């Protein structure tokens, strides 16, 4: 089977013959074990057939747009002629990179470290980290398992610890991830079960139900029973079958009592690392009542830790988990409104904990909830490697974070570690900022709902979900354009942030005398060969109108480069993944 470049080209036969033995188990470990410090060593992996072979820049770039935050031309060229599955497997072998160690060092050294620096550290990861697959998964998980500092209520180390949990488990197992975020101070503070006390019949006090409700509705199961393809199960009256009732929430809420910061007192911890270490269960504040929910009854007087373990095991064994998680991860990587058959293929990989690519590389541990198997099923799905032109609905809107980081990586934006929050802090009502940022969702429902239909749109008329359109409005469009204008034109300096974040346009200035060459370079670097004729014409007209004079030749060439890049990153097709 040949790769579909969506441009009418077909991939050729693989130049390497079938290896004598197939990789087994965690193939990513076998490939990355060659030399995990060399980002190109995956090229030496055996190619079993040409099903996953990327034969040109357009194919390589399109794959990297899905699997990472975007690539440099060097990274695109390195992938050409090699296997997408081998690249993916090698990425899975890379170690987790976190922000907490640097944050602790900053605090211990007496340097100022507040949430502005924590925000910069996350941006730094996305833009500069070598483990791009993990970083994309980190961003995806941050939008599903939402903890937000939108109202600046978090402590820097508290959020850094939570961020590192997402990085740690991004390519691990979903069950382990849910367990660890349940015991994270940031989640407990955000969903109000920190210092959640058992009920008191004398005063009428009841345990806080917030985490119990959101754990079921948003993190694991949803509201209604689902088929494996993500479709809703209906009853005899064609009404959706609910998974739980308010009584279930009341019973489950009793499980999440007795959680507080690690230390010697429930009400207040004196430990310096209390906000960046797992929560502690205080038995005296944990409900000893019977806890009944989702068909499970935890007997009265069951211990706190045992109650939590039993509850999470039961929830995570529910058949809804696989299609629920599969669909949301697909939406964050490849398609806003995935076909049921695609959801089912990914859900079965999640459920079985394993996935075998078309070129016979095995991903996953075989344990339910394996995220390596899940993301492999998403990115290596057969629809992306066939000869069929994709339908209009088979794509997604690339939200502001994806587009900004793609630009930053493509042009080696630097210096990153001092990046200013003022320019990147999201504000939905601002016309000078992005309307999105990591850990800045306005609510636990993220920036947009998974099933959002844009009112009055053609997609809504066709019943096509487009979640990202929920943040597309007048302020969003102007805010994104103004933010990109500042960074593209190197205008990020201001009084409180003297550093200027300079893009590297050397490849463009070298060919700035040739407008066609500039347009083609951007087409290959940013658009995977799918720049429209309209955008190309706009770039050519702008460059032709910008003279290169003998007196100011270098400045004029730089101006041409900036003009072309700004037109490119604000073009409609730069905002679309397909």
């Amino acid at each position: 089977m040949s790769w579909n470049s969506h441009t009418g080209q077909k991939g050729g036969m693989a130049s390497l013959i079938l290896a004598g033995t197939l990789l087994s188990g965690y193939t990513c470990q076998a490939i990355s074990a060659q030399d995990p410090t060399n980002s190109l060593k995956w090229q030496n992996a055996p190619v079993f057939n040409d099903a996953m072979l990327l034969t040109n820049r357009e194919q390589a770039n399109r794959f990297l747009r899905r699997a990472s935050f975007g690539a440099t031309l060097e990274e695109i060229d390195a992938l050409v002629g090699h296997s997408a599955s081998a690249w993916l497997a090698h990425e899975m072998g890379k170690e987790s990179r976190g922000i907490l160690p640097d944050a602790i060092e900053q605090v211990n050294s007496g340097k100022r470290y507040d949430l502005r620096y924590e925000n910069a550290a996350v941006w730094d990861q996305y833009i500069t980290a070598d483990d791009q697959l993990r970083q994309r998964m980190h961003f995806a998980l941050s939008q599903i398992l939402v903890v937000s500092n939108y109202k600046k209520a978090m402590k820097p180390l508290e959020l850094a610890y939570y961020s590192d949990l997402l990085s740690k488990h991004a390519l691990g197992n979903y069950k382990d991830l849910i367990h660890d975020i349940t015991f994270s101070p940031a989640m407990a503070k955000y969903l109000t079960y920190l210092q959640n006390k058992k009920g008191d019949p004398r005063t009428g006090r009841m345990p806080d139900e917030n985490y119990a409700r959101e754990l079921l509705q948003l993190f694991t199961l949803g509201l209604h029973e689902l088929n494996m393809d993500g479709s809703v199960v209906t009853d005899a009256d064609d009404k959706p079958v609910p998974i739980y009732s308010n009584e279930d929430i009341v019973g489950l809420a009793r499980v999440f009592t007795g959680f507080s910061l690690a230390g010697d007192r429930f009400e207040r911890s004196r430990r310096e690392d209390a906000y960046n270490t797992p929560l502690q269960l205080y038995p005296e504040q944990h409900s000893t009542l019977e806890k009944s929910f989702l068909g499970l009854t935890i007997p009265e007087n069951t211990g706190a830790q045992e109650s939590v373990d039993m509850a999470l095991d039961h929830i995570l064994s529910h058949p809804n988990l696989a299609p629920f998680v599969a669909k949301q991860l697909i939406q964050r990587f490849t398609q806003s409104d995935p076909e049921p058959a695609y959801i089912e293929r990914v859900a079965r990989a999640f459920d079985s904990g394993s996935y075998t690519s078309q070129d016979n590389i095995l991903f996953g541990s075989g344990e339910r909830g394996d995220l390596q198997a899940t993301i492999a099923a998403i990115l290596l799905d057969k629809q992306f490697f066939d000869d069929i032109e994709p339908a209009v609905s088979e794509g997604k809107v690339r939200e502001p974070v994806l587009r900004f980081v793609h630009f930053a990586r493509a042009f080696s934006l630097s210096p990153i570690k001092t990046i200013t929050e003022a320019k990147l802090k999201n504000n939905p009502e601002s016309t000078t900022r992005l309307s999105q940022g990591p850990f800045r969702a306005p609510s636990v429902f993220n920036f947009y709902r998974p099933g959002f239909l844009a009112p009055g749109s053609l997609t809504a008329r066709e019943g096509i979900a487009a979640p990202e359109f929920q943040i597309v409005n007048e302020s969003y469009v102007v805010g994104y354009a103004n933010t990109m204008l500042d960074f593209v034109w190197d205008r990020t300096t201001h009084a409180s942030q003297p550093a200027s974040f300079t893009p590297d346009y050397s490849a463009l200035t070298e060919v700035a005398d040739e407008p066609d060459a500039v347009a083609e370079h951007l087409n290959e670097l940013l658009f995977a060969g799918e720049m429209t004729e309209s955008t190309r014409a706009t770039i050519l007209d702008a460059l032709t109108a910008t003279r290169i004079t003998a007196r100011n030749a270098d400045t004029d060439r730089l101006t041409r480069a900036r003009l072309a890049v700004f037109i490119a990153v604000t073009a409609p097709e730069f905002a679309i993944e397909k």
Side-chain angles (χ1 to χ4, degrees):
M1 183 174 290
S2 300
W3 168 273
N4 171 27
S5 69
H6 304 322
T7 59
Q9 299 172 322
K10 296 182 180 180
M13 294 298 293
S15 59
L16 299 179
I17 62 172
L18 181 66
T21 57
L22 299 182
L23 301 177
S24 61
Y26 268 108
T27 305
C28 62
Q29 296 176 355
I31 290 177
S32 63
Q34 298 172 44
D35 182 0
T37 63
N38 187 331
S39 62
L40 302 183
K41 278 295 184 180
W42 53 265
Q43 294 176 318
N44 297 327
V47 177
F48 303 122
N49 58 56
D50 70 340
M52 299 282 108
L53 202 62
L54 309 174
T55 62
N56 57 46
R57 279 180 172 177
E58 288 78 12
Q59 297 166 4
N61 193 353
R62 190 173 295 108
F63 175 74
L64 290 174
R65 277 164 60 112
R66 296 191 191 103
S68 72
F69 277 107
T72 64
L73 204 56
E74 181 184 29
E75 290 168 329
I76 294 168
D77 285 339
L79 186 53
V80 173
H82 298 281
S83 165
S85 54
W87 180 92
L88 196 67
H90 179 74
E91 283 288 303
M92 292 177 179
K94 294 177 179 178
E95 294 184 0
S96 171
R97 171 187 175 183
I99 64 175
L100 182 60
D102 286 344
I104 293 174
E105 183 178 348
Q106 285 277 100
V107 172
N108 290 343
S109 65
K111 297 179 181 178
R112 181 184 179 188
Y113 188 87
D114 59 24
L115 287 163
R116 291 179 300 170
Y117 293 89
E118 165 271 318
N119 187 44
V122 178
W123 283 109
D124 176 46
Q125 277 195 135
Y126 291 170
I127 296 170
T128 67
D130 178 58
D131 57 342
Q132 278 289 296
L133 177 66
R134 186 182 297 274
Q135 297 308 323
R136 271 299 303 272
M137 183 65 98
H138 177 283
F139 182 50
L141 291 170
S142 76
Q143 296 190 76
I144 298 172
L145 309 172
V146 175
V147 159
S148 176
N149 197 41
Y150 186 68
K151 296 183 179 179
K152 296 185 177 181
M154 296 288 172
K155 296 182 181 295
L157 296 186
E158 188 174 29
L159 199 52
Y161 175 72
Y162 186 81
S163 176
D164 279 13
L165 287 180
L166 298 188
S167 293
K168 174 185 176 182
H169 295 295
L171 299 172
N173 193 284
Y174 200 71
K175 178 180 179 180
D176 297 332
L177 174 58
I178 291 294
H179 178 276
D180 278 7
I181 68 164
T182 298
F183 280 85
S184 67
M187 180 61 79
K189 177 185 288 187
Y190 188 60
L191 291 185
T192 61
Y193 63 100
L194 184 67
Q195 298 177 349
N196 186 21
K197 295 181 180 181
K198 61 185 177 181
D200 187 343
R202 294 174 303 170
T203 63
R205 184 184 68 217
M206 300 286 286
D208 187 286
E209 299 175 357
N210 209 10
Y211 187 62
R213 182 173 290 103
E214 309 307 0
L215 175 65
L216 295 183
Q217 179 181 346
L218 301 179
F219 301 167
T220 57
L221 308 181
L223 292 171
H224 305 105
E225 290 186 14
L226 300 175
N227 295 305
M228 204 61 166
D229 64 1
S231 59
V232 176
V233 176
T234 56
D235 59 19
D237 297 322
D238 204 31
K239 294 182 179 179
V241 178
I243 298 177
Y244 53 86
S245 65
N246 191 62
E247 287 72 21
D248 292 301
I249 298 299
V250 171
L252 182 57
R254 293 171 181 168
V255 172
F256 302 112
T257 52
F259 283 84
S260 192
L261 298 174
D264 54 1
R265 296 175 58 188
F266 180 79
E267 293 80 10
R268 182 178 180 182
S269 174
R270 297 178 182 177
R271 285 182 54 167
E272 293 183 0
D273 64 347
Y275 287 99
N276 55 282
T277 199
L279 295 172
Q280 183 173 317
L281 281 168
Y282 290 78
E284 67 276 11
Q285 293 296 346
H286 180 77
S287 175
T288 58
L289 297 178
E290 179 182 277
K291 309 170 181 77
S292 295
F293 55 93
L294 298 179
L296 173 71
T297 296
I298 300 176
E300 61 180 356
N301 297 318
T302 300
Q305 185 64 59
E306 186 179 358
S307 290
V308 174
D309 290 343
M310 290 177 66
L312 293 182
D313 284 348
H314 184 66
I315 293 167
L316 294 169
S317 66
H318 194 283
N320 256 43
L321 183 68
F324 181 82
V325 175
K327 181 177 180 179
Q328 294 208 62
L329 285 177
I330 290 171
Q331 289 182 307
R332 301 280 55 81
F333 277 89
T334 59
Q335 294 182 353
S336 294
D337 192 26
E339 291 289 327
Y342 182 25
I343 296 172
E344 182 167 357
R345 290 192 292 271
V346 176
R348 294 201 180 282
F350 180 97
D351 211 38
S352 67
S354 65
Y355 175 80
T356 302
S357 64
Q358 292 183 72
D359 55 351
N360 297 316
I361 294 182
L362 175 64
F363 295 86
S365 63
E367 295 183 6
R368 186 172 189 262
D370 189 289
L371 293 177
Q372 292 192 6
T374 306
I375 193 59
I378 291 172
L379 295 173
L380 301 179
D381 190 72
K382 60 184 180 180
Q383 66 178 307
F384 302 122
F385 297 86
D386 59 27
D387 297 316
I388 303 173
E389 185 71 16
V392 174
S393 61
E394 294 178 4
K396 74 182 297 292
V397 174
R398 301 174 74 215
E399 56 263 51
V401 168
L402 295 185
R403 280 184 280 164
F404 175 81
V405 179
H406 189 177
F407 154 77
R409 285 179 54 75
F411 299 105
S412 303
L413 190 70
S414 64
I416 296 300
K417 290 188 176 179
T418 55
I419 206 162
T420 170
E421 182 182 80
K423 291 294 180 184
L424 290 177
K425 183 176 68 175
N426 62 296
N427 185 337
E429 299 177 357
S430 173
T431 58
T432 61
R433 299 173 180 172
L434 291 178
S435 58
Q436 186 188 37
F439 298 116
R440 295 297 188 273
S443 77
V444 71
F445 297 103
N446 190 26
F447 299 96
Y448 27 69
R449 302 299 297 269
F452 179 75
L453 299 175
S457 68
L458 292 176
T459 52
R461 188 181 306 169
E462 297 295 325
I464 299 172
E468 299 82 3
F469 272 129
Q470 193 167 349
I471 59 171
V472 176
N473 51 42
E474 291 85 352
S475 296
Y476 157 90
V477 173
V478 176
Y480 172 78
N482 283 334
T483 299
M484 297 311 298
L485 190 66
D486 284 336
F487 279 94
V488 170
W489 286 79
D490 196 8
R491 301 192 319 198
T492 53
T493 301
H494 60 91
S496 63
Q497 184 66 56
S500 184
F501 307 100
T502 307
D504 179 2
Y505 295 140
S506 57
L508 289 174
T509 56
E510 287 177 4
V511 296
D513 298 78
E514 307 172 48
D516 282 315
V518 172
E520 187 53 35
H521 180 84
L522 293 175
N523 188 28
E524 293 180 333
L525 180 61
L526 299 179
F527 296 95
E530 295 184 345
M531 178 188 288
T532 64
E533 287 304 315
S534 175
T535 297
R536 183 184 292 272
T538 302
I539 291 174
L540 295 181
D541 289 346
L543 298 193
T544 302
T546 305
R547 295 178 55 205
I548 297 179
T549 63
R551 184 175 181 179
N552 298 301
D554 289 345
T555 300
D556 293 340
R557 290 188 177 94
L558 180 58
T559 298
R560 278 192 168 192
R562 288 169 169 169
L563 270 173
V565 171
F566 181 70
I567 293 169
V569 298
T570 54
E573 63 267 39
F574 187 65
I576 300 298
E577 187 68 75
K578 61 179 181 178

